[in-house]
Amino acid sequence: MKKLICILFLFLLVGCNDLSNTPTKKTEEFLKKYQTLDNSVLTDLNNVVNESDLNESQKEKYIDIMKKHYQNLSYEIKDEVMDGDEAVVTVEISVTDFKRVLDEANNYMNDNKEQFYENGEYSVTKFNDYKLEKLKEAKEKVRYTIEINLTRINDKWSVEKLDKDTYDKINGVYNY
């Protein structure tokens, strides 16, 4: 009896490890990295911010806004299609609609340019402060469907590099 229980336990232990190695589970792990602010996500965010024209204070504000955005990202797996060592997982995500907010900010700036002038010249800093405040206040959500491509190498599924549209959807700035 003990031998049967040991064999059953080992079978379950080995079998459970394989359950996490599916395209759907790997996609969930990938998206949870955003929700939990995984180091790889934060490194990517910092790299993007460091290449921007934001000043140091604005960079910190933007990072805080995006952290909140990622933590509030929600998703639902809709489909998984496997073809040999390739798979596509279709996911519906819900994110803050930053695209609408940025469009409204640009329209406001075009209609009220004088508010963004300093010493007679247009101030990028003033406009960036305005946009960041609007992004911070954003509440409306938008839903997108994304497709995550995966490849199996040595029996391990891994997410392939995302295209720009998918990144834009995750970041809430997709031009819909």
Side-chain angles (χ1 to χ4, degrees):
M1 184 70 168
K2 284 185 179 181
K3 191 174 186 179
L4 180 61
I5 291 173
C6 262
I7 291 171
L8 186 58
F9 176 74
L10 285 173
F11 177 74
L12 289 174
L13 183 63
V14 172
C16 288
N17 288 338
D18 289 338
L19 292 178
S20 66
N21 187 31
T22 68
T24 294
K25 290 294 184 190
K26 292 299 179 180
T27 299
E28 289 174 340
E29 285 176 19
F30 174 77
L31 292 170
K32 284 180 183 175
K33 285 182 178 186
Y34 283 93
Q35 294 171 318
T36 61
L37 303 176
D38 182 84
N39 282 336
S40 63
V41 170
L42 294 179
T43 298
D44 288 346
L45 176 59
N46 285 324
N47 290 338
V48 168
V49 169
N50 287 333
E51 294 174 9
S52 72
D53 64 350
L54 301 174
N55 63 36
E56 290 306 311
S57 170
Q58 292 169 338
K59 287 177 182 180
E60 288 177 26
K61 287 178 188 174
Y62 184 73
I63 287 171
D64 289 341
I65 289 166
M66 291 309 295
K67 283 180 177 179
K68 180 180 172 188
H69 172 77
Y70 292 149
Q71 289 174 316
N72 290 325
L73 176 146
S74 62
Y75 65 89
E76 181 181 346
I77 304 294
K78 293 294 189 177
D79 194 22
E80 172 187 282
V81 177
M82 289 192 294
D83 184 13
D85 289 338
E86 296 180 357
V88 177
V89 176
T90 304
V91 183
E92 184 179 88
I93 62 170
S94 177
V95 295
T96 308
D97 189 358
F98 288 149
K99 173 65 176 141
R100 185 190 56 77
V101 171
L102 292 171
D103 286 348
E104 288 174 1
N106 286 326
N107 290 338
Y108 182 81
M109 189 271 298
N110 287 332
D111 293 341
N112 302 279
K113 288 184 182 188
E114 68 282 353
Q115 288 186 6
F116 303 103
Y117 275 74
E118 198 168 70
N119 300 325
E121 292 185 20
Y122 172 74
S123 171
V124 172
T125 301
K126 279 184 98 168
F127 185 55
N128 283 341
D129 284 338
Y130 176 79
K131 286 191 297 187
L132 287 168
E133 192 56 39
K134 293 301 176 186
L135 289 172
K136 186 177 177 182
E137 296 170 359
K139 300 252 186 284
E140 287 188 39
K141 298 279 192 168
V142 63
R143 290 185 178 281
Y144 296 117
T145 299
I146 60 175
E147 290 187 340
I148 304 293
N149 296 303
L150 298 99
T151 304
R152 182 172 42 198
I153 301 171
N154 297 329
D155 290 328
K156 271 194 117 56
W157 287 101
S158 62
V159 173
E160 293 181 8
K161 184 172 174 22
L162 303 181
D163 62 25
K164 182 184 180 322
D165 286 348
T166 303
Y167 274 119
D168 285 352
K169 289 176 180 180
I170 291 171
N171 288 308
V173 295
Y174 179 70
N175 191 8
Y176 50 86

